[in-house]
Amino acid sequence: MPLTLEQLNAASASDALQLLDGVYEHSPWIAQAALAQRPFASLPQLKFVLTQAVSAASREALLGLIRAHPELAGKAMVNQSLTAESTNEQNRAGLTHCSAEEFARLQQLNADYKAKFGWPFILAVRGPRGLGLDRAEIIASFERRLHGHPDFELQECLRNIHRIAEIRLNDKFGFRPALGDLVWDWQEQLSQYSEAPDQLTVTYLTEAHRACAAFIQAQMQVCGFDSVNIDAMGNVVGRYEAMTAGRQTLLTGSHYDTVRNGGKYDGRLGIFVPMACVRELHRAGQRLPFAIEVVAFAEEEGQRFKATFLGSGALTGDFNPAWLEQCDADGISMRAAMHQAGLCPDDITRLQRDPTQYLGFVEVHIEQGPVLNALNLPLGVVTSINASARYTGEVTGTACHAGTTPMDQRADAACAVAEFMLACERRAAQDGDSVATVGQLNVPNGSINVVPGQCQFSLDLRAPGNAQRDALQSDLLAALADICTQRKLSYCITEAMRASAAPSTPQWQQRWEDAVASLGLPVHRMPSGAGHDAMKLHEVMPQAMLFVRGQNAGISHNPLESTTSDDMQLAVEAFGHLLEQLSRQT
């Protein structure tokens, strides 16, 4: 019979320890430390408390935990001395059926990894869905992480150990994240539509983009939405009506386009999580005191045309007709692309929503950063979408012979920009939550034996509030002026973009906080450094966001972007709790 929390909470200390045996490989001290915090209100709480016990341990204890794990397809597997849990995991991943070549490659990788780091390579081989990674995926992860820094790799091993423990706990408690699995599967199916064969690229109104819209539309219909349509912008709009006609609507959703060679979850997670909730309402025959409108926004990333937030902007009335004449890299105008997709540009103005008919907008999104992953937290509540500003700049000095010009007589433009980059790093760090990035550098006509006479650069500034961003901007522009004055150089810098912060509406942020707390998890509040569709809806109605932890150190806009079906399950449950709150308050 599966273990229950009631059993675990009521058991004696020794019996409770035995009940959690095998969750962390040969390391009962972790369960012992966690059990001191009984009673547990939920399985997610138990999982988090176990991670905290590891976080509080010494480096020596952490290394002992890692070294307690067997190598993948290693000696313990060959001589059949693995624990039952490890045997099950390596079997599921097919490691007991390696070809001779695969086995030899894994043996070499094990040796190389241990020689570099001093501990065995740890990977949760049952993967983000719990079904098991294939051998090619395991070898690819092994090869990639072999090049990591020891400090990072130590933490990555621990994060994988926590994932292994999570799956083992699910097995003990007989728990399956059914709705998380559903959301994971939807995203996996959607990722088959791409403009490129070996990467995920879906840009506005391409064939792959239209196929994505059709897939989402079909799944919304299966979920039981009362109406589903693709609007004049290419947004897929599903409505689940209220128990009483004429009531206000909760608006939610995110985008389904991607950056080039992107990840499977950016934007798309925020479409499928509320879809899963509507599916459950429909299956239960339940209506709420408000309608739910889920919008899969057609465009947010600005990859094909030089315009962003086309999908969500159309709902706020922010669409510039001049954009229709923009052309993509192949010379196809946006207007022509829309006609080819069967859309009518003249109808875009009719998409603007009346804010008085809406309660507000909420968005679920993968974090796209490392914070939640480092904290071992599956969910985070967004306090504000950061204010931002972007610049393009150029420093001008004198190009001269690299061999004949003394160091104290140079006017090196690139050195000035390098000094400025370090100033950006120092100043942004002072705030704790500001960021400043010089992401592009170019020395025109640069040569290996020429002192740079020009250096072009970009500057991206972000902070949780407008005033904080403006102070950062002021200090950094002053620093650039000082650097160029001291080095006797000239410069120019031009603002290219400015966006105001979009702070979460306190009442809606509180609803997300209550939803997270209801799961037994601590509430972590955090700003969003990335822009989201919620920024556009913020202009006309209350908004708030929920972040979901990403795997692989939270990397995003990258094929390695990943999250687990367990974390998606928690996002669905949190969204469901928000709906329940809103039903009581409406």
Side-chain angles (χ1 to χ4, degrees):
M1 291 291 292
L3 176 64
T4 66
L5 282 175
E6 290 75 14
Q7 285 178 291
L8 184 67
N9 288 332
S12 66
S14 59
D15 287 347
L17 191 61
Q18 185 60 39
L19 289 172
L20 295 183
D21 181 55
V23 172
Y24 282 88
E25 194 92 354
H26 301 299
S27 302
W29 59 269
I30 300 170
Q32 190 170 33
L35 287 167
Q37 297 191 43
R38 286 187 293 172
F40 301 112
S42 67
L43 182 56
Q45 182 188 29
L46 169 59
K47 292 174 181 178
F48 176 71
V49 171
L50 286 164
T51 68
Q52 294 305 101
V54 175
S55 297
S58 66
R59 181 180 174 86
E60 182 180 357
L62 297 179
L63 288 173
L65 169 62
I66 294 172
R67 288 169 178 151
H69 285 73
E71 293 181 342
L72 296 181
K75 293 178 181 178
M77 187 192 80
V78 173
N79 61 28
Q80 299 183 334
S81 61
L82 293 173
T83 63
E85 293 83 4
S86 289
T87 299
N88 177 40
E89 288 151 3
Q90 298 210 26
N91 278 339
R92 285 202 180 204
L95 292 175
T96 52
H97 298 89
C98 288
S99 68
E101 291 176 346
E102 289 170 332
F103 186 75
R105 181 61 181 144
L106 284 166
Q107 294 304 298
Q108 185 61 56
L109 286 167
N110 276 323
D112 292 345
Y113 187 94
K114 195 163 187 180
K116 178 175 180 178
F117 298 109
W119 57 77
F121 173 73
I122 310 296
L123 180 66
V125 294
R126 282 180 61 180
R129 174 67 159 75
L131 297 176
L133 301 173
D134 62 40
R135 294 189 294 276
E137 290 174 310
I138 292 169
I139 290 171
S141 296
F142 218 144
E143 291 172 338
R144 172 175 56 84
R145 285 174 49 192
L146 185 58
H147 302 291
H149 187 279
D151 291 343
F152 175 85
E153 193 55 28
L154 177 72
Q155 295 304 316
E156 193 67 0
C157 284
L158 294 173
R159 286 188 282 265
N160 275 274
I161 287 172
H162 291 316
R163 175 59 181 158
I164 293 167
E166 175 169 60
I167 294 173
R168 291 178 178 180
L169 280 169
N170 289 349
D171 291 344
K172 279 183 178 290
F173 281 84
F175 171 73
R176 176 174 166 256
L179 293 175
D181 288 347
L182 174 68
V183 171
W184 196 93
D185 290 343
W186 275 336
Q187 288 168 124
E188 196 69 18
Q189 292 163 29
L190 190 63
S191 70
Q192 69 182 299
Y193 305 112
S194 176
E195 298 163 39
D198 298 319
Q199 59 178 242
L200 181 59
T201 299
V202 179
T203 62
Y204 186 51
L205 296 184
T206 58
E207 183 178 344
H209 185 272
R210 299 197 299 274
C212 286
F215 175 85
I216 295 168
Q217 182 181 34
Q219 295 306 315
M220 282 185 171
Q221 290 167 341
V222 171
C223 285
F225 283 82
D226 295 300
S227 63
V228 184
N229 69 88
I230 297 176
D231 69 19
M233 203 75 242
N235 299 322
V236 187
V237 183
R239 282 188 62 86
Y240 189 74
E241 301 299 343
M243 63 175 64
T244 305
R247 301 298 296 269
Q248 285 183 297
T249 298
L250 173 66
L251 185 63
T252 186
S254 195
H255 63 96
Y256 64 92
D257 66 318
T258 75
V259 296
R260 290 180 170 83
N261 197 25
K264 300 175 183 177
Y265 308 99
D266 177 7
R268 297 164 174 212
L269 182 61
I271 301 167
F272 291 130
V273 164
M275 280 175 55
C277 289
V278 169
R279 175 181 179 269
E280 292 306 289
L281 290 170
H282 175 70
R283 293 178 72 177
Q286 184 180 358
R287 297 281 174 173
L288 304 179
F290 51 88
I292 303 172
E293 185 174 335
V294 180
V295 183
F297 294 115
E299 199 284 335
E300 189 252 22
E301 298 286 7
Q303 294 288 297
R304 185 176 181 185
F305 300 100
K306 293 181 180 178
T308 57
F309 300 106
L310 293 175
S312 51
L315 271 60
T316 68
D318 182 16
F319 182 83
N320 184 348
W323 292 338
L324 293 169
E325 310 313 321
Q326 287 186 6
C327 291
D328 65 10
D330 296 320
I332 300 171
S333 70
M334 186 185 298
R335 183 186 300 277
M338 295 182 77
H339 283 307
Q340 185 179 8
L343 305 179
C344 181
D346 294 339
D347 291 340
I348 293 174
T349 56
R350 300 177 188 174
L351 303 182
Q352 184 174 356
R353 301 301 197 264
D354 176 1
T356 65
Q357 300 300 308
Y358 288 85
L359 295 166
F361 177 79
V362 291
E363 182 174 1
V364 176
H365 207 282
I366 194 167
E367 181 199 345
Q368 297 184 278
V371 176
L372 293 175
N373 196 250
L375 294 171
N376 296 308
L377 282 172
L379 302 175
V381 178
V382 177
T383 56
S384 177
I385 302 172
N386 282 2
S388 61
R390 291 179 183 173
Y391 297 84
T392 57
E394 182 175 82
V395 173
T396 302
T398 303
C400 53
H401 199 292
T404 62
T405 308
M407 296 303 293
D408 61 354
Q409 295 181 40
R410 297 183 177 203
D412 189 324
C415 279
V417 175
E419 186 176 347
F420 176 62
M421 291 173 70
L422 294 175
C424 290
E425 186 179 58
R426 288 192 299 270
R427 173 58 184 83
Q430 290 176 13
D431 291 340
D433 52 6
S434 293
V435 291
T437 307
V438 176
Q440 295 176 319
L441 284 171
N442 179 44
V443 176
N445 303 311
S447 180
I448 194 169
N449 59 350
V450 176
V451 176
Q454 283 182 300
C455 187
Q456 300 163 343
F457 64 96
S458 64
L459 176 62
D460 183 302
L461 306 178
R462 306 188 193 209
N466 294 343
Q468 186 172 324
R469 174 207 55 197
D470 292 345
L472 175 67
Q473 165 197 303
S474 177
D475 289 349
L476 289 179
L477 293 184
L480 178 62
D482 288 346
I483 290 167
C484 291
T485 296
Q486 292 170 11
R487 289 177 171 271
K488 299 180 174 60
L489 304 168
S490 62
Y491 75 95
C492 63
I493 189 164
T494 304
E495 184 177 296
M497 185 276 282
R498 176 171 295 264
S500 294
S504 298
T505 304
Q507 184 181 23
W508 286 90
Q509 180 181 324
Q510 185 62 53
R511 288 183 177 121
W512 278 129
E513 292 180 11
D514 291 344
V516 172
S518 75
L519 301 173
L521 293 168
V523 175
H524 180 73
R525 303 169 186 87
M526 60 190 301
S528 171
H532 301 286
D533 290 299
M535 293 177 69
K536 297 303 298 183
L537 277 304
H538 174 83
E539 297 171 5
V540 297
M541 66 180 71
Q543 65 81 26
M545 293 186 68
L546 180 73
F547 273 168
V548 180
R549 166 176 55 185
Q551 299 296 298
N552 297 321
I555 195 168
S556 185
H557 283 186
N558 185 294
L560 293 174
E561 178 182 274
S562 179
T563 187
T564 69
S565 59
D566 284 88
D567 287 358
M568 293 183 203
Q569 175 78 26
L570 292 172
V572 174
E573 292 178 10
F575 200 103
H577 190 275
L578 182 141
L579 294 178
E580 291 174 9
Q581 290 180 71
L582 203 53
S583 295
R584 294 192 298 269
Q585 299 164 0
T586 302

